[in-house]
Amino acid sequence: MMEQNLHIKEIGWNLRIFYCPKTSSQRSIVLQCLYDAGCTGRNFRRAVTLLGSGAVNTGLIFSNKSERKSIIVVGQSSNVGEFINTLTHEINHFIEHVMEALHIQSG
């Protein structure tokens, strides 16, 4: 598993990205980070299910908008194109979350 920690100082937002958590200990680390960020209830159960499924070409994002922190998880991919597609998809959700939190309208 690879991990990236980014701080976007202009807006005071922390973004943590996990790439390809494969082992149960790696998945536990990701789940703990999600929980620590405020991911609970239905969202947390969905994350547990997704990470435990071993499905390829999937990802997830959780954002705690009040604390300005987000976690993206990109699962295993079947090829480079699918990896880029999944990462881009989750980054688009991240942008939406930031825009909502900062009351920025697109268009």
Side-chain angles (χ1 to χ4, degrees), residues 42-92:
R42 185 174 141 231
N43 288 332
F44 188 77
R45 288 190 300 276
R46 289 171 62 184
V48 169
T49 300
L50 181 65
L51 289 171
S53 73
V56 297
N57 306 324
T58 60
L60 65 89
I61 182 168
F62 172 78
S63 293
N64 183 324
K65 295 173 189 168
S66 64
E67 294 185 18
R68 294 190 178 188
K69 61 174 78 170
S70 297
I71 297 173
I72 291 175
V73 183
V74 179
Q76 292 182 315
S77 302
S78 57
N79 58 57
V80 173
E82 289 294 339
F83 171 80
I84 292 169
N85 184 56
T86 301
L87 179 59
T88 303
H89 179 86
E90 299 307 330
I91 289 173
N92 284 334

Side-chain angles (χ1 to χ4, degrees), residues 86-105:
T86 301
L87 179 59
T88 303
H89 179 86
E90 299 307 330
I91 289 173
N92 284 334
H93 283 302
F94 169 68
I95 293 167
E96 290 172 1
H97 294 184
V98 170
M99 289 177 68
E100 287 173 11
L102 301 179
H103 308 289
I104 299 170
Q105 294 190 8

